[in-house]
Amino acid sequence: MSSSVPISPSQPLLHLWSAVELTQAFADGQLSPVEATQAVLAQIERCEPRLHALYALDAEAALAQARASEARWLRGQPLCPAGLDPRLSLDGVPLTLKENIATRGTPMPLGCAASELRPAEEDAPPAARLRETGAVLLAKTTMPDYGMLSSGLSSFHPLTRNPWDLSKNPGGSSAGAAAAAAAGYGPLHVGTDIGGSLRLPAGWCGIFSLKPSLGRIPIKPAYAGRVAGPMTRSVDDAARLMAHLSRPDWRDASSLPQQSIDWQDLKRDLRGLRLGLLLDAGWGTPASAEVSAVVQEAARRFEQAGARVEPLAPFCSRAMIDGLDKFWRMRSWLDFRALPPERQARVLPYIRAWVEGAADLAADELFQGYSQMQALREAAVAACQPFDYVLSPVSPEPAFAAEWASPLNDPARPFEHIAFTLAYNMSEQPAASINAGYSAQGLPIGLQIIGRRFDDLGVLQLCAEFERLRGPQRPWPVDLVVLGG
């Protein structure tokens, strides 16, 4: 194969090809993994000086992986783990991993200049599973300090921007992954989420992401609410990633047992499904009129396809959120307090201001705060139980200023924008973000689709049906601009 291999005239932008399209072209001998990787690296070279989505990019290593994959495809022996349908192969497909997903030999700064840069000793479970597929790891993606912001602002990385409008924020904490997906840095990206860190940047960057049920994708370290998940430009690609990421790994003691799930089965009859519609989270920043209108239009499309849509009343209280805030602050304060003063000074000032709020918390306040996590879990499960699925906004407003740490940019009110996403981390339910429309300024607006615990495939199926109901989207922002600039 050579660089003269013709590219389909219907999709001349090779760096925007899906994983499904790439592997089919590899199998047919119409395209080489080397060409696919070269096309993505060229797009990175064009955009990365302004986007700043990547960390630890290694073009030579990526090309070496692509050449090895090319040889396997030429032999008719692409990698695909035992037990998986060979059609699910990801051999030779370019991908990125969020910076906090350990890859052997690469330091993990966790987005923070206070971190000590030590090479990781082993691959975390998501990295290990994807290495086994023969996929081409291009780079890690950026995140804010300790993953504690819904922002591309970091004390370690350059400011990550939103490819739809460089003056806007991509969100976070999976900031670089969302920006990279939207800008055409290959089809497959993996991020993490503990309160909205997959879904918020996905919504603000117009891509698709699934926060799976807790334990569906093994991860290390594992703790309450934390999951890894796919970030892609299509539901089909995310489903293919799930087939690999959900394979077992004993290192995650909270991971679910191996299940036989047909991740390729993305068809769903919508007739008769009962869908809840949540437009008021009960706390936090209210959804703007523009966001509400886009979500309501999505609900109407489901109704037209035969689903029943009913309003869902708010189920979260301010006491739940304030309690959880206290617990999270204390956890981060203990980590911050353990740093020597010279390293404390390198932490982003917004984060320092937030964690210092826990310095004087009493033990009873901390315990009461921890107990609110269970209260939030029970409230979310009870509210969703009458419905097959729930629809809501992902975030209350479109993307905000690139330089801000959060939509309010106020460490005293850090969580107001995660009112629609946070509950489902605590309840361990699957929840996805899928683009549903655009603001008057052309910024994406995400729709969240939530399922009952363990119904990850059902959420993917509903999202795949919405892709069909939604119809064609606007072209991806491969040429970066500042709107109005």
Side-chain angles (χ1 to χ4, degrees), residues 38-111:
Q38 288 172 333
V40 173
L41 289 172
Q43 176 67 358
I44 291 171
E45 186 175 4
R46 285 189 291 268
C47 297
E48 189 59 9
R50 290 176 289 167
L51 199 61
H52 301 302
L54 301 183
Y55 162 69
L57 172 66
D58 190 337
E60 288 305 316
L63 288 169
Q65 295 170 61
R67 287 190 288 270
S69 174
E70 178 182 66
R72 291 190 292 270
W73 281 105
L74 285 170
R75 293 195 304 268
Q77 298 176 334
L79 291 178
C80 191
L84 287 185
D85 188 324
R87 291 174 297 173
L88 293 173
S89 175
L90 296 177
D91 202 342
V93 178
L95 68 84
T96 71
L97 295 171
K98 189 175 176 180
E99 184 245 293
N100 65 345
I101 298 173
T103 51
R104 186 179 59 256
T106 303
M108 284 198 303
L110 301 177

Side-chain angles (χ1 to χ4, degrees), residues 382-405:
C384 295
Q385 186 59 32
F387 304 101
D388 296 300
Y389 301 94
V390 169
L391 312 177
S392 84
V394 174
S395 61
E397 297 174 327
F400 55 100
E403 295 79 10
W404 285 15

Side-chain angles (χ1 to χ4, degrees), residues 190-278:
V190 181
T192 62
D193 191 317
I194 193 174
S197 289
L198 285 163
R199 290 156 289 158
L200 288 163
W204 283 322
C205 290
I207 64 165
F208 176 77
S209 186
L210 172 70
K211 182 208 76 66
S213 302
L214 187 78
R216 178 67 69 199
I217 295 176
I219 194 169
K220 183 182 178 182
Y223 48 81
R226 185 176 189 239
V227 299
M231 305 184 78
T232 61
R233 292 187 295 273
S234 70
V235 178
D236 205 2
D237 274 0
R240 183 167 291 206
L241 260 180
M242 287 298 297
H244 296 272
L245 292 170
S246 62
R247 289 186 294 123
D249 193 303
W250 66 267
R251 292 175 292 169
D252 182 352
S254 64
S255 60
L256 299 176
Q258 175 76 355
Q259 289 181 269
S260 179
I261 298 174
D262 184 1
W263 295 104
Q264 296 182 96
D265 178 17
L266 294 179
K267 296 285 188 181
R268 186 66 176 267
D269 187 351
L270 300 177
R271 290 173 296 181
L273 284 182
R274 189 179 181 191
L275 307 181
L277 178 60
L278 180 69

Side-chain angles (χ1 to χ4, degrees), residues 47-54 142 151-154 157-171 174-183 185 201 204-205 399-404 443 477 480-482:
C47 297
E48 189 59 9
R50 290 176 289 167
L51 199 61
H52 301 302
L54 301 183
T142 60
S151 173
L153 182 63
S154 161
H157 302 295
L159 178 63
T160 305
R161 297 178 179 272
N162 191 317
W164 290 91
D165 180 347
L166 293 176
S167 73
K168 300 299 183 183
N169 210 296
S174 302
Y185 289 13
W204 283 322
C205 290
F400 55 100
E403 295 79 10
W404 285 15
L443 296 171
L480 308 184
V481 298
V482 176

